[in-house]
Amino acid sequence: MKKRIIALFVAVLLIFTFTACSNDSEAPDDTGADKSGNDENSKEPTDSGEDGEDVEISVTWWGSDTRHTITLDMIDAFEEKYPHIKVNPEYGSPDGYWDKLATRVAGGTAPDVIQFGGNYPDYVDKGALLPLNDFVGKEIDLEQFDQDVVDAGTMDGNLYGICLGTNMLTLVYNKDLIERVGGELPPETWTWEEMEKWAEGLAEKMDSGYFPMSDNSKSQTNYLGYFLRQRGNSIYRDGEVAFEEQDIVDWINLWEGFREKGLVPDAETASAYPETGPDTSLFVEGKTALILIYSNQVRAYQDAMEDELSLTLLPKGEETAAWIMPSQYMTVYSKTEHPNEAATFINFMVNDPEATSILGNERGVSSSAEVRELLAESSSPVDTKVYEYFNVATKDVKPMDPNLPNDQEFNDTFKLILEKVAFGQIDAEEGGKQVYELANDLVEKAGRD
Amino acid sequence: MNRDLKNKTSNFFVHVIVIAIGFIMLYPILWLIFSSFKLNEHIFSDVSLIPKKITLEHYVDGWQGIGRIPFSRFLKNSFFVSIMSVIVNVISCSMVAYAFGRLDFSLKNIWFAIMMLSIMLPTHVTNIPRYVMFNKFGWIDTYYPLIIPKILATDGFFIFLLVQFIRGIPTDLDESATIEGCGPIQIYWRIIMPLAKPALVTTALFTFLWTWDDFFNPLIYLNTPEKFTVPLGLRMFLDSTGESNWGSMFAMSVVSLIPSFILFLTMQNYFVEGITTTGIKG
Amino acid sequence: MKKTLQVGEGSVLNQQSALKRLWKKNAIPYLFLAPWLIGFFVLTLYPMINSLYLSFTEFNMLESPKWIGMQNYIKMFTEDERYLKSLSVTFKFVFISVPLKLFFALMVALLMNRKMRGIEFYRTVYYIPTLLGGSVAIAAMWRKLFSSDGVINRIIYMLAGIEAPNWIANPSYALYTLIILAVWQFGSSMVIFLAGLKDIPKEYYEAAQVDGANKFQSFIHITLPTLSPVILFNLVMQIIMAFQSFTQAYVVSNGQGGPLDSTMFYTLYLYLKGFYYFEMGYASAMAWILLLIIAVFTAIIFATSKYWVSYGDGRD
């Protein structure tokens, strides 16, 4: 018995090892590529863009399966057009993307072309990204770009990020749920008061455990930014904190008012469903009727639900506050050995007709109305709704403000402070004070580096 | 007769308890398996365990993989890394543990203390210097950073584990072997290794499972998606900033549990029956 | 050296033979030790020393570190409330989860050590939670399980008719759900106990039976002492691992440690500080304090072990 089992074990082991070997023998291709990839680091910098010598650049991005597939197709098209440039795609999930990027930048071996979100300024501060000014008009053509979108990728007068698509905040409501309880559908546009009234009307008709709105007071700070911009302020503008303690107190009181009236979930439920994505959303479970998300998330939310979703504008205020924001940027690593090729690649990605038709609107909606119209003809009902929303919403926008430095820390700690208020540990005044101090500390911290 | 009956009833109760707790243990895997058959729009919106409608699409989609890489590629890579790790880790850790557990040498206690200290520092802060170092060695985007540390027995957990087992083995056997003229090397190979089998099997099992599950090291050191291991592949189904394919992630999680499951089943069978008491008394 | 030379020729010989003895005593043991020793000097030592150095600097990972002396350590204990909170959360977690986990692991291992039909299957079933580890799937499942209309609350409602809270989202209970998660993944300790139990010679029990000992007595006088090296191992390792607990809190709380930092484990905070708030110097200081804490506990356990651990080799 014993021997038989050992024999079995050895057999299993051999099979495994064999599989491993066969894997290994398939691998030389990769290892070869990898070795030359490493050699690349030791090569002398060359201006190979001009003499057409073969170079390799690596490109990194995060995303879903769809994004990976189309980006790889786009890279094929690029390599066909520029046979002397080989592109090493290094893609992955957003989980761990930043850990890895920070480690690689610290090790001095980051990829040549890097996809960023709104947090690119944190890397600019630390000298990790290359200013692209010199390439504009040569490798990089920005003719077709909105000035706002170009500005969004600009910091201290230098261009760092090229926008890959745009995004807007949107309110999404669960049409079927509202109709089931016999409530009114939200109008196309409304004020904060009208929104509250609508929610009160709906709350009366809903059973316990159901709420008119998800708690978006802290799921991300852009809603707060929107609120501040309506009063002429912002989270961060011109290199400093651009709000007062009282602004935050008002924001907190607005939401705590909703909470007392049962228009948003209680503190406990809200912390169980942080609304960071469909997997942590009370809205997706069909228990709330209205939620704030980005326009590029609408499809993911709709895919996770059976009920039909529709979009509406954020509540109006005194001043125009909405903004079009780049969903992602492409940037170049400051220590790249092939800046020209990297720039050429980014330009191809955003301007080449073949590339843009392959990439479509996966990284965000086109900021051009004509392109949207063109795409709308062949798109799914959800996408059509997003385009229609864009057509309306983009009519009333203002340039975006940059993220606060140390954006992630601001988001996390802001959430913690508002949670303290919701759980009754501190009052709104104290919350306002803490958020104000936090923002100033973080700006100071970035300046210190 | 009486004793037999008593045994039977006691066995019956043991079964009842074991099954009751077993259900709690099984609930998560059931949840995972059932979820992998749910339609995408039901995974998070439908709270019941049993799917309303069953679909196989997640298995089909998931198996096709991510980007242009079939999921089987991730499995192969994981097999390669895990098997290599098991082999080298068992050999090197058992050697070091034999030194600590049985042999007498200068500075032994100091080295042992240093070894224990080295596993007390959270790895998050050693990652960057380690990355810089491996980069200098030219190991980035290869499997070396995942396997070579195991050749060099850097995981004190297993050394300590084997030390404890080796020290638990009565010394009379070594003594008689020494009298017969065996040196430390023969004792290691002929006596300690066979007797430490349950611990060696445990080491092999855990090395496999933990390497198989490891997310952070492959994440940091592998750049080319073709070289990714299973945990990296699984995460790629999820994009918290956009579209996530939870269904495929669940389905492929189930698939990637199968090797661990089979391994556990076979290995535990082995170590339960492998050791007989007569071996110890010699 | 000098001393021995002064004494004369005889002692040079003595010294040579001392060296020879030293060589004879150490050559083979160091050969066995070599893999770890090389690994330590080549792979482990530099990153450790480097992180110790970084703990005295301000280091955002992307620019060169700036020496600031003890400031990180001072700030930790004087200014950083979240740090102190994470420390207390972690202590609570360690002191509740480790004893519970070891107790369950030992009890189940004893149960699983019986000869019984289907035992292989049961053993595997009990190991399943551990197989799942810290996967993303676990996080989603755990949140569902303890949510206000989750299975746990439905059972509580059925049994007691009480509407229980949302455990994961309640600052007073969230940590306990993670403790349960840790205890529920007792499989690794169980397997190690099982391996240890297999090593106990049956003759010991037979002899005890002849002496008229009952099951409980033989558990106390045979099982526990013979198993004590393994118990020591599990205790030390579980404490080290519990102090460093990261993955479960990370996935269940979405990397946030919420609600109200009630599941902000030490290493989770360290990780956020280092990689997301760009304070790697501070994170390194935190890591070294944690090392110190763990080392103290481990040293205490080792110091007491001579009173309760007995080895087959007769030493302690």
Side-chain angles (χ1 to χ4, degrees), chain A residues 326-362:
Chain A
S327 48
Q328 282 120 37
Y329 303 87
M330 274 296 171
T331 65
V332 177
Y333 178 44
S334 58
K335 290 189 191 161
T336 179
E337 283 159 22
H338 309 292
N340 303 65
E341 286 76 8
T344 307
F345 177 80
I346 296 179
N347 185 62
F348 180 85
M349 194 171 172
V350 295
N351 282 322
D352 187 272
E354 193 185 349
T356 47
S357 81
I358 294 172
L359 295 174
N361 64 342
E362 196 277 329

Side-chain angles (χ1 to χ4, degrees), chain A residues 190-226:
Chain A
W190 51 8
T191 63
W192 288 97
E193 291 74 30
E194 282 164 355
M195 183 173 92
E196 186 167 354
K197 211 165 245 158
W198 166 84
E200 282 168 1
L202 195 59
E204 280 171 21
K205 300 189 161 110
M206 287 176 140
D207 294 337
S208 81
Y210 289 78
F211 305 91
M213 305 188 283
S214 276
D215 181 358
N216 288 119
S217 63
K218 53 184 181 286
S219 50
Q220 40 131 321
T221 49
N222 277 325
Y223 208 1
L224 170 70
Y226 176 83

